[in-house]
Amino acid sequence: FGASRETVRRALQVLEDDRFIIRESSKRVIASSAETLGKVAFVGGGWGVLNNPVWARVWAAFEPLARTNGIKATLALYNWDPLERVWPGKLEDAPDAVVFTSAPTKAIEDRVFAMGDRCPIIATDEKFVYKARHVVSLDNYEAGRLAAKALVERGRKRPAMITWRKDYPAFVERERGFVDMLKALGIPFDEKDVFAFSGETTSP
């Protein structure tokens, strides 16, 4: 437009001050939607949930996209306070979707899943595979293959895999991937080297 670089800089700053554009850390300028097109709540049990790699990656990838495309993304991180003090918190109105990883209490977890008839629940923990409409997690077959490969690369001659619940599809897939990788690598093993047990434990 024949304007000087300084004029363009000032114009961009005015637009940024009025929230018409957003300057990202990479210094790209992204247009921001003027209207709210939807709401997504990221729900978890305190800041510790950020250690959940799937949940954290979904948030890190989704939040800037949402912000620049008219989707309101909010964090609702509940702690150990009594339920009446922390609920509904940022979920007074049902959002269009909930991305859920965990809750500090069963009462809060039940409240979250009770919202399933009003909005889809997207869980990032395999243990909710029977409760959430969608579950985002690692590919279990590939996880088993990677585990076997890592053991062999570290010089293990007799690898073993422990499956927590034989009837749980995720663990069955991991075991299948684990065994298939051993066979692909030509590692001899007895079936007793790959075994399963059933039981309630927090550290299988």
Side-chain angles (χ1 to χ4, degrees), residues 3 14 18 29 48 51 75-76 82 90-91 106 120-122 125 141 145 152 162 198:
V14 170
D18 290 338
V29 179
N51 292 324
L75 279 173
K90 294 184 178 180
L91 295 179
K106 185 69 164 56
I121 307 293
I122 305 166
D125 193 312
Y141 179 82
R145 285 173 49 86
V152 172
I162 300 175
S198 296

Side-chain angles (χ1 to χ4, degrees), residues 40-63:
V40 176
F42 283 72
V43 181
W47 288 105
V49 301
L50 296 178
N51 292 324
N52 180 307
V54 178
W55 193 89
R57 286 177 184 176
V58 172
W59 168 260
F62 183 81
E63 194 276 333

